[in-house]
Every structure is written in C-alpha cells, then in structure tokens.
Amino acid sequence: MATIGDVARVAGVSRSTASYALSGKRSISAEVREKVEQAVRSLDYTPNAGARALATSQTKVIGLLARFLEDEFAPAMLQYILGVTNRARECGYDTLLLTDEDGVSALRRISDSRMVDGFILLNVAENDDRLGILRAAAQPGSLVGLPGDPSGLDVFDLDFVAAGRLMVQTLHELGHRTMILVSQPEHVLERGGAYVSRLANAAQDRALELGVELHHHFAPSSQPQIGRELVRLLDAHPHATGLLLNNEAAAAALPNVLQTRGLTAPEDISVIGRYSDDFARTFSLPYTAIDSAADELGRRAVERLVSRIEGTTDAVSPIVDLITPRIDDRGSTSVPPTRH
C-alpha cells in the first residue's frame, strides 16, 4: 500500500510538501499540486484515516442516522440515503449509516466517541427526541425533515404546504372538482411525521378556497394492503376525477390497480404523486408528480454540514431551507372525462 512518502518521492517533493498539497493546510503552487495529484493517481494512494484524524482532528466521516420503519416504504427512504452518501463521497467524506431503533443512544454514543465529524438526521419527527442530543453535541448536524422546533439547527425539506396547495391547484385549473388524496398511514402522523399533515391540511385548505370536494384518506404503505385500499377508495368515490398521492407505496401499486379495473390515466382519472424522479424510474411510474427532491435535499444538507465542519461557511446562523415544489409532467393529467 502506497504511503505519503511514496507520493512525495514520485512527485519529486518533500514529504511535508506532499502532505500540505493534499490537505490544503498551506498554499502550494499549482504546478507542485498537479505533480502531487498525478503521483496520487499513479500510486492509487489513499490517506490513512487514523493518521489523518490524529493530525487534523477530523475523521472525514459523516454519521447518517436513518430508521427503516415498517410503516414507511423502504425504497423511498433509500432515495434520501443515496442523496446523502453520494454527495458526501464527492466532498471527500465517508458515511457511517446508523439504523439503531434507539436513535438517541446511537447519536450520543457516536458523538462522544468522536467517530464522525458531523451528523445528518433523516426520519425527523415533529418532536424528535434526538434533537436535544444533537444541539448539545460537539459536532455540527443537518436535518433532512422539518421538526416542530428547528431552532439552532440547519434544516432542509420540501415545502409540503406549498406541495399540497399545488396538487389541488393544478387539477382545479384543468377542471377537476372532486378529488381523492391518499396519505401515508395514520400512525406515521401519530409518530410525528408532520409532513403528512402539512401536505394534507394545505391541500384541504386550498380545496375549500376553490370549492373542490377533496376526500382525504390515510392508507397502508405495503402490499397487498395498499392495492386493496386503492380499489376500495376508487369504489367509494366513483365521481372523483383526480387522484393525489402522498404515499409512495400507493404510487407503486397504482399501475396494477388501474389495469385490473380497465382504467387509464389521464383518460379516466388524472393522477399527481409526490416522489423523486429516481423513484419514478425505478418503478416505471408514468404519473405526473411533485419531485420529493431526495437527491437535492441530501446534497444541500451535506454541503452545509461540510462547510460547518471545515469552517468555510459564511453564515453562522442556522438556516431552514424549504425547497419550492416542482411538478414533473409525465402526461397523467388532463381535463376530466365526460361521464353520463
């Protein structure tokens, strides 16, 4: 395995100069830096993490706390994890994925051991019990998900209020007056998944403003239950011409449900979901959707965290960054059908 001494020898510089060129601790000429980088590539050199941690007090590792919950659709959670890990790798950081059910103990243990330089939290609840530990930790942190009290923390999320309003507004402009909104299971909301109520309440408020009849239902997040529930909802609201989905499992199950019933979108019913573009490709979903922005949220959270770790951020104050919803039109919406 190549060492920093080998890099220095091949580059024709001193060991300290090679080290400074790689760490950026001192100003090194572009010519010398290029020689060192060429040596690194030719030797396939990887810095020793232990030595680097002793020298810089940094591990170059980000702790990612995520929970794989039975009542949430696991493939959707993976989109957020990939968004974080991909951007962290591009920034030169490894990711330590922590899936402990007891997130408080895991966060405290990893923080006290100084195993990571900072944290990113997923599955953020309205009153998340991990936040007190994070605020007191020696390492900085970022949240993907808006808690009830975001004070003192960098927070990144989709603007679910705007998303709910946009869903209803979009179908209303096409002439739809009766819609169904399918949300995550109710216990997701009871557990603290406030994003569910933010979208649903905003959709209901906008529907009331526009004179739209909106039937809101909580639904399962696993098969075959979600498929059966979609059939039941379509039967229960035969006059509905619009279907809004804030439930990734429902979106994944819908193609089979519509095919079984001999229905197509948008000829028989217009559909707008809420999920990422990668999710749509994975499940070959042909439905117009508000992009959940999983990749973008992960990118922003990592970049803000790295800037805090490395002391390069210009803004000392924490931020709450809500991404404006954007609709990816895949052709599943149109004027409502004429029914006799």
Side-chain angles (χ1 to χ4, degrees):
M1 181 178 296
T3 68
I4 188 65
D6 296 325
V7 172
R9 175 178 51 79
V10 171
V13 299
S14 69
R15 185 187 183 98
S16 60
T17 297
S19 179
Y20 290 140
L22 294 176
S23 68
K25 289 292 184 179
R26 291 188 182 178
S27 178
I28 301 295
S29 71
E31 180 182 359
V32 170
R33 188 181 302 277
E34 177 60 26
K35 288 181 179 179
V36 172
E37 290 175 352
Q38 288 179 356
V40 167
R41 289 191 293 269
S42 67
L43 294 169
D44 195 22
Y45 169 72
T46 300
N48 180 278
R52 178 178 57 203
L54 289 172
T56 67
S57 299
Q58 289 186 357
T59 64
K60 303 295 284 188
V61 177
I62 290 173
L64 174 59
L65 279 77
R67 296 162 172 163
F68 285 92
L69 303 166
E70 293 183 0
D71 53 13
E72 292 187 334
F73 199 45
M77 174 56 61
L78 285 172
Q79 299 298 323
Y80 291 90
I81 292 174
L82 287 173
V84 170
T85 56
N86 288 342
R87 186 58 183 140
R89 183 174 61 253
E90 292 170 356
C91 291
Y93 285 76
D94 293 320
T95 304
L96 175 63
L97 176 60
L98 304 165
T99 60
D100 303 45
E101 186 173 340
D102 186 352
V104 171
S105 295
L107 181 56
R108 182 183 289 114
R109 181 181 72 253
I110 301 302
S111 176
D112 289 346
S113 67
R114 304 299 175 97
M115 292 174 62
V116 302
D117 296 330
F119 294 96
I120 291 178
L121 272 59
L122 303 181
N123 312 94
V124 176
E126 177 79 356
N127 298 301
D128 200 301
D129 55 4
R130 299 171 295 178
L131 302 190
I133 305 300
L134 184 60
R135 289 188 177 102
Q139 304 89 341
S142 290
L143 310 184
V144 177
L146 176 64
D149 177 15
S151 61
L153 299 167
D154 293 320
V155 176
F156 303 85
D157 205 358
L158 178 69
D159 189 337
F160 281 92
V161 171
R165 295 179 66 85
L166 180 59
M167 282 178 154
V168 172
Q169 177 74 37
T170 299
L171 290 191
H172 176 268
E173 290 175 354
L174 290 170
H176 296 267
R177 297 297 179 264
T178 305
M179 308 173 195
I180 303 169
L181 170 60
V182 181
S183 288
Q184 298 281 357
E186 191 165 13
H187 44 267
V188 172
L189 179 59
E190 294 169 350
R191 190 183 61 237
Y195 70 94
V196 177
S197 59
R198 289 189 188 113
L199 187 148
N201 291 343
Q204 289 174 320
D205 289 346
R206 189 58 180 146
L208 184 62
E209 294 168 1
L210 296 172
V212 167
E213 185 179 3
L214 180 66
H215 303 281
H216 177 220
H217 296 272
F218 299 101
S221 58
S222 60
Q223 286 279 25
Q225 295 91 336
I226 183 58
R228 292 196 293 262
E229 181 65 5
L230 287 174
V231 170
R232 188 190 73 79
L233 294 178
L234 291 172
D235 286 340
H237 306 292
H239 299 294
T241 59
L243 182 61
L244 310 177
L245 304 174
N246 188 26
N247 180 319
E248 291 92 346
L254 187 60
N256 184 60
V257 170
L258 293 183
Q259 182 180 28
T260 301
R261 295 173 66 89
L263 301 175
T264 58
E267 289 78 11
D268 300 297
I269 191 165
S270 288
V271 179
I272 300 178
R274 195 275 307 161
Y275 43 78
S276 71
D277 185 60
D278 285 341
F279 186 87
R281 288 196 297 270
T282 299
F283 288 91
S284 301
L285 298 180
Y287 307 123
T288 293
I290 289 178
D291 191 344
S292 62
D295 284 343
E296 179 68 10
L297 289 169
R299 182 185 68 80
R300 293 188 188 189
V302 168
E303 289 174 356
R304 182 70 172 185
L305 180 60
V306 168
S307 72
R308 288 201 178 277
I309 291 170
E310 299 181 354
T312 59
T313 182
D314 295 328
V316 176
S317 300
I319 60 171
V320 174
D321 185 0
L322 300 182
I323 293 179
T324 300
R326 172 180 59 84
I327 287 187
D328 290 331
D329 186 355
R330 299 187 179 92
S332 67
T333 61
S334 69
V335 298
T338 301
R339 293 177 177 173
H340 302 286

